[in-house]
Amino acid sequence: MARNLTENRTRNTLIVIVILGLCSFFYLLGAWQKSGSGGGDKTHQWVIEQMKCAQLPNLSFETHHSASNLPNDTGSSKIEPFKPCDEQYTDYTPCEEQKRAMSFPRDNMIYRERHCPLDKEKLHCLIPAPKGYVTPFRWPKSRDFVPYANVPHKSLTVEKAIQNWVHYEGNVFRFPGGGTQFPQGADKYIDQLASVIPIAEGKVRTALDTGCGVASLGAYLLKKNVLTMSFAPRDNHEAQVQFALERGVPAYIGVLGSIKLPFPSRVFDMAHCSRCLIPWSGNDGMYMMEVDRVLRPGGYWVLSGPPIGWKIHYKGWQRSKEDLRNEQRNIEQFAQLLCWNKISEKDGIAIWRKRLNDKSCSMKQDNPKGGKCDLTSDSDVWYKKMEVCITPLPEVNSVSEVAGGQLEPFPKRLYAVPPRITLGSVPGFSVQSYEEDNNLWQKHVKAYKKTNNLLDTGRYRNIMDMNAGLGSFAAALESPKLWVMNVIPTIANTSTLGVIYERGLIGMYHDWCEGFSTYPRTYDLIHSNDIFSLYQNKCQFEDILLEMDRILRPEGAVIIRDKVDVLVKVEKIANAMRWKTRLADHEGGPHVPEKILFVVKQYWDVSTSS
């Protein structure tokens, strides 16, 4: 009995020691994990990964979090499923609809600009895919082939048959890489540009293609690691921009008309027009001044087609020599007014280079045709009228200094500190906060990939970030397999779009209470960070979600990061839109009030709309 008593005491002592040891170990482990040091986060992520198979389909956060303080509360109400729209709306673009457009003046292409429906006119139904819609080919095959079922419009194959734009072959469209001004193919044309412009050196990373057609220039510039923002109006050709996006090339519906382009000043390394039918010599040079505004100091402007090369081609253009000569003379005068230096004119291609700064260009200040713009903010462009004035550049200390700062060649500029951050021209951001933002989004994207392991496989080619911030989400994903349209909401507290371009990325301004300037089914993945919190008192959540559904491809994915009470409401609407949803914890753990909603849009088309 004495021996048993001794053994029991020893065993109890060991148990107490073990328990105390385990408590201490887990206390230290928790403190270490909370500090963010070492591999604490990896441990938590591993546990989350292992628990994926144990999902609870009816998991609800409503017992711990309330959505009652949101407008139009749906925290406890049931939402009726959204019905499919009529088949006639398969290519619906709410702010560029033809019928509405024709009621506006044709002067300065006003009728081709954005004209959005009133709230009472908005569609509250799901835009159907055309019958037989299929997942697009993966890049780079998509550059050359597009399934006919996805864009069932043949008008371009007829109207541009001899210009080598696009051919209809069986059940696909084939894009041979030709164009009106490059009959030998886009590669040959780009080689001509590269003989003058340092395209291959990484100094040209972002380009703007005005009147882009089917964006073949942008498609082939990707081989040179150049990201091109291409745009064309929605016109009688029906599907230029739709073809571009279906090919996996950045593009949006737009026009140089009476409203400023949706970009800040000084962002593009190169601007291009290849027979884009823009009257550059008209309106006192207003369109050239707008190109000057968005072109980076030292950037290049390329003009090919009429009137360049008129001495040889005037007969084919069916215009008189005098008419073409006068048009080119006017363009040359406006270029001189802007202090652009003409560096080449050969084979129907003229190239100018923008001034590095305003110190070396005093002549324009005394010219009545080219006064300085009253620039209050270089980001205040949304629905703002274009002006006949020259946008001033940031001040410099010498004539050789690049206004606004010198950029690193790409890809180094992707993570180099952008000059706008270094110079303190973006309120609320410093070098330190910029670097912290990069680290944070590297962590976020790593966590995303654990849930959606297709993120960087090439499955998602066209990606949109609805509230891009500093562009760190896109930077973390940077790959030849994909591109990201970085959108800065017009109601954001600070405009960071200039920073995004200085990183070698592309994007535009947009108000998410309105339709985006694109065709339906043009994005493979949409990322939304705090969009619904930002627009909480601005417009209806269902309007934003219906627009996301419109531009998302069938079987496309959405990642929504927001506060949990907001996501409770969003998830209810999403489920009513045939979206498959999964609400997940923040990678920092279940106690973080921010959550992530992962979504997949289910496949259906007009033949299965019921």
Side-chain angles (χ1 to χ4, degrees):
M1 289 179 62
R3 187 173 65 184
N4 289 340
L5 184 60
T6 302
E7 289 176 352
N8 287 337
R9 287 175 178 173
T10 303
R11 187 182 302 110
N12 290 339
T13 302
L14 286 172
I15 291 172
V16 170
I17 293 171
V18 169
I19 291 172
L20 287 174
L22 287 172
C23 289
S24 301
F25 170 78
F26 284 113
Y27 174 82
L28 293 172
L29 178 62
W32 182 47
Q33 183 174 357
K34 187 177 180 181
S35 71
S37 305
D41 288 341
K42 292 181 180 178
T43 303
H44 175 259
Q45 291 169 1
W46 180 84
V47 172
I48 293 294
E49 185 71 14
Q50 305 311 307
M51 293 178 66
K52 279 185 183 177
C53 294
Q55 294 180 48
L56 299 177
N58 297 318
L59 180 63
S60 172
F61 285 84
E62 292 179 65
T63 54
H64 305 291
H65 303 273
S66 173
S68 60
N69 60 335
L70 294 176
N72 300 316
D73 171 46
T74 58
S76 58
S77 61
K78 182 180 179 181
I79 300 179
E80 291 296 322
F82 289 93
K83 296 180 180 179
C85 301
D86 188 85
E87 184 176 349
Q88 65 177 308
Y89 293 108
T90 53
D91 289 335
Y92 179 62
T93 55
C95 297
E96 290 88 10
E97 277 300 280
Q98 294 287 75
K99 185 176 180 181
R100 187 182 302 108
M102 298 310 293
S103 66
F104 288 89
R106 297 200 170 209
D107 300 341
N108 292 334
M109 297 289 284
I110 291 173
Y111 76 115
R112 294 295 185 198
E113 294 180 324
R114 288 175 56 84
H115 303 290
C116 300
L118 301 173
D119 285 345
K120 63 181 180 180
E121 298 173 334
K122 290 181 178 179
L123 294 181
H124 286 86
C125 52
L126 304 177
I127 303 299
K131 184 178 180 180
Y133 180 89
V134 296
T135 302
F137 300 116
R138 289 199 180 190
W139 184 267
K141 185 178 180 180
S142 65
R143 185 194 67 185
D144 303 326
F145 297 97
V146 166
Y148 170 75
N150 291 12
V151 193
H153 305 296
K154 296 182 182 178
S155 61
L156 274 179
T157 65
V158 177
E159 294 186 37
K160 303 294 181 180
I162 63 172
Q163 296 173 14
N164 221 22
W165 277 29
V166 56
H167 302 298
Y168 174 64
E169 299 176 354
N171 61 351
V172 299
F173 290 107
R174 182 174 66 86
F175 297 83
T180 309
Q181 287 304 123
F182 31 95
Q184 294 180 311
D187 279 333
K188 289 284 187 183
Y189 181 82
I190 291 169
D191 286 343
Q192 287 180 276
L193 302 185
S195 67
V196 180
I197 302 171
I199 291 175
E201 300 173 19
K203 294 179 181 178
V204 173
R205 165 62 178 176
T206 56
L208 179 69
D209 192 11
T210 58
C212 65
V214 294
S216 286
L217 180 82
Y220 282 81
L221 274 173
L222 286 166
K223 294 166 66 174
K224 305 287 188 182
N225 219 7
V226 176
L227 265 179
T228 306
M229 180 70 82
S230 301
F231 70 84
R234 177 165 187 176
D235 57 11
N236 56 355
H237 292 326
E238 291 188 272
Q240 295 180 83
V241 168
Q242 192 173 17
F243 274 131
L245 286 155
E246 199 70 17
R247 297 173 73 185
V249 182
Y252 74 98
I253 302 172
V255 65
L256 263 175
S258 66
I259 303 297
K260 291 182 178 181
L261 294 172
F263 315 112
S265 302
R266 301 178 286 112
V267 291
F268 290 101
D269 298 316
M270 182 175 80
H272 173 267
C273 163
S274 173
R275 203 169 186 177
C276 60
L277 305 181
I278 293 171
W280 299 111
S281 62
N283 292 333
D284 295 321
M286 182 172 70
Y287 296 140
M288 290 178 67
M289 292 174 186
E290 179 65 359
V291 169
D292 180 76
R293 181 184 73 81
V294 300
L295 202 58
R296 197 181 306 286
Y300 301 88
W301 186 54
V302 179
L303 177 61
S304 64
I308 307 302
W310 60 268
K311 293 179 182 178
I312 300 172
H313 301 293
Y314 74 96
K315 289 184 179 179
W317 295 336
Q318 298 180 345
R319 291 174 61 183
S320 69
K321 285 185 177 182
E322 188 63 26
D323 181 31
L324 290 162
R325 182 190 297 115
N326 289 337
E327 183 180 350
Q328 180 158 352
R329 184 184 297 123
N330 288 337
I331 289 173
E332 301 275 9
Q333 289 175 350
F334 288 126
Q336 189 177 21
L337 179 67
L338 293 164
C339 284
W340 291 359
N341 178 33
K342 190 175 184 180
I343 59 177
S344 175
E345 183 177 344
K346 184 180 179 182
D347 299 329
I349 304 172
I351 302 174
W352 286 264
R353 193 178 186 201
K354 180 178 173 175
R355 64 200 182 280
L356 290 179
N357 54 62
D358 286 342
K359 258 191 183 302
S360 60
C361 190
S362 58
M363 60 169 290
K364 71 174 183 356
Q365 299 176 11
D366 302 321
N367 194 311
K369 286 187 177 180
K372 285 188 177 181
C373 299
D374 181 17
L375 189 65
T376 54
S377 170
D378 74 346
S379 60
D380 187 21
V381 298
W382 190 245
Y383 287 128
K384 292 295 190 297
K385 289 286 185 181
M386 217 179 289
E387 301 174 90
V388 181
C389 60
I390 299 171
T391 304
L393 297 175
E395 294 184 3
V396 295
N397 297 317
S398 70
V399 294
S400 61
E401 185 180 345
V402 179
Q406 180 71 51
L407 291 181
E408 297 285 354
F410 195 84
K412 190 175 180 181
R413 75 169 69 166
L414 185 63
Y415 281 104
V417 181
R420 294 180 202 229
I421 297 290
T422 305
L423 298 173
S425 57
V426 185
F429 291 96
S430 63
V431 173
Q432 181 181 350
S433 61
Y434 167 76
E435 292 173 345
E436 289 173 350
D437 190 72
N438 280 321
N439 293 333
L440 178 65
W441 281 101
Q442 290 279 358
K443 182 179 176 181
H444 287 340
V445 170
K446 187 176 181 180
Y448 290 162
K449 290 177 181 178
K450 289 183 176 294
T451 300
N452 187 338
N453 56 15
L454 299 176
L455 199 56
D456 59 354
T457 64
R459 169 63 179 81
Y460 306 118
R461 170 69 183 172
N462 302 354
I463 297 177
M464 174 179 285
D465 192 355
M466 296 176 68
N467 186 15
L470 296 175
S472 299
F473 168 76
L477 282 176
E478 168 59 24
S479 164
K481 299 175 184 176
L482 55 86
W483 61 272
V484 180
M485 177 70 81
N486 294 283
V487 179
I488 297 299
T490 55
I491 65 170
N493 293 329
T494 305
S495 171
T496 52
L497 191 52
V499 171
I500 288 170
Y501 274 91
E502 288 184 342
R503 301 187 70 169
L505 305 169
I506 58 172
M508 59 194 296
Y509 295 113
H510 182 65
D511 181 357
W512 285 110
C513 289
E514 300 179 356
F516 194 76
S517 292
T518 191
Y519 285 85
R521 305 171 302 280
T522 47
Y523 284 88
D524 303 295
L525 184 141
I526 299 175
H527 179 255
S528 164
N529 177 43
D530 287 336
I531 274 291
F532 294 96
S533 290
L534 181 65
Y535 279 92
Q536 191 164 295
N537 299 311
K538 305 296 182 183
C539 50
Q540 301 296 320
F541 282 11
E542 70 174 41
D543 288 338
I544 298 175
L545 285 161
L546 284 169
E547 177 61 7
M548 293 168 69
D549 182 80
R550 184 185 74 87
I551 66 179
L552 186 66
R553 296 191 194 281
E555 299 185 324
V558 181
I559 302 173
I560 305 175
R561 176 181 289 270
D562 218 312
K563 298 179 182 66
V564 66
D565 53 353
V566 172
L567 290 186
V568 167
K569 178 180 179 181
V570 168
E571 187 177 29
K572 285 182 178 293
I573 301 172
N575 288 331
M577 292 166 46
R578 309 188 185 195
W579 285 7
K580 223 176 148 184
T581 64
R582 178 193 168 201
L583 195 58
D585 281 328
H586 185 281
E587 60 268 14
H591 300 295
V592 179
E594 185 179 72
K595 306 293 178 185
I596 301 104
L597 184 66
F598 292 94
V599 172
V600 174
K601 177 180 175 179
Q602 297 190 64
Y603 178 90
W604 61 280
D605 62 22
V606 292
S607 64
T608 59
S609 60
S610 60

